[in-house]
Amino acid sequence: LQLKLGIPIGLTLIPVIVATVIGLFLTPIIGNLSDQCTSRIGRRRPFIIVLFIINLISAAMISYSRIIG
């Protein structure tokens, strides 16, 4: 798919590397925030809901990447 879009192979690794590095730093921060959360729906559910919405938006953006780009 990336080759059909005309994206060079070398550039396809950049998002993967950046996402891994960001995840390396954000995972402990989000874990600490969820441990301190005092929501009435639970400690983990607000984070699960927010991250689920972010994943849906990301999937929609990937689906329409040809139109967006």
Side-chain angles (χ1 to χ4, degrees), residues 10 21 25:
V21 171
F25 292 105

Side-chain angles (χ1 to χ4, degrees), residues 36-56:
Q36 296 175 5
C37 183
T38 58
S39 174
R40 62 186 169 105
I41 62 172
R43 289 173 31 186
R44 309 277 188 248
R45 283 192 188 118
F47 294 92
I48 292 171
I49 293 169
V50 169
L51 293 174
F52 176 72
I53 292 170
I54 291 171
N55 280 334
L56 285 179

